[in-house]
Amino acid sequence: MPRLADLRFRAATALQRHVANPITRRLPFQTVLETVGRTSGLPRRTPLGGRRVGDSFWLVSEFGERSQYVRNIKADPRVRVRIRGRWHTGTAQLLPDDDPVARLRLLPRSNSAAVRMLGTDLLTVRVDLDG
């Protein structure tokens, strides 16, 4: 990974992990993805942006397979997503063949702008929601 991209990754993830995520995951209507920690087995909650379309929830990971929640999904694709204050169970699918830049145009603008600005290795994720 080029040095600038690595620096951007480290700065963004440190800010998210220690400042933004602890605050935003507590907001009642913030969208949150819950995965199972691949090492700890504990629930891991990550605030993020995306959009529900029918029985699927779509998002774009700004750091692709370097994102901790993506690594957790690879180990166990069963997830929960809190959308508008309500939890939904589902199965996450990583979609490396999907065009993440085109996908971002279909997702909420504020989150998409941040993902484009900070992201170094975009990856589309689809969560197929149960029932």
Side-chain angles (χ1 to χ4, degrees), residues 22-96:
I23 295 168
T24 57
R25 81 172 62 115
R26 289 181 172 90
L27 299 174
F29 287 97
Q30 168 66 48
T31 302
V32 175
L33 176 69
E34 183 181 82
T35 59
V36 175
R38 63 194 174 282
T39 302
S40 69
L42 298 173
R44 300 297 182 197
R45 292 183 175 177
T46 306
L48 44 72
R51 173 167 283 146
R52 183 176 182 166
V53 179
D55 289 333
S56 296
F57 181 81
W58 293 85
L59 65 119
V60 174
S61 168
E62 60 198 338
F63 299 114
E65 294 193 18
R66 288 188 78 185
S67 294
Q68 296 299 317
Y69 68 86
V70 170
R71 294 170 73 188
N72 290 342
I73 287 169
K74 287 177 77 173
D76 182 355
R78 298 292 304 160
V79 300
R80 292 193 324 149
V81 183
R82 188 178 72 192
I83 306 167
R84 296 187 181 141
R86 188 165 167 238
W87 285 101
H88 305 270
T89 59
T91 304
Q93 307 286 327
L94 305 178
L95 303 172

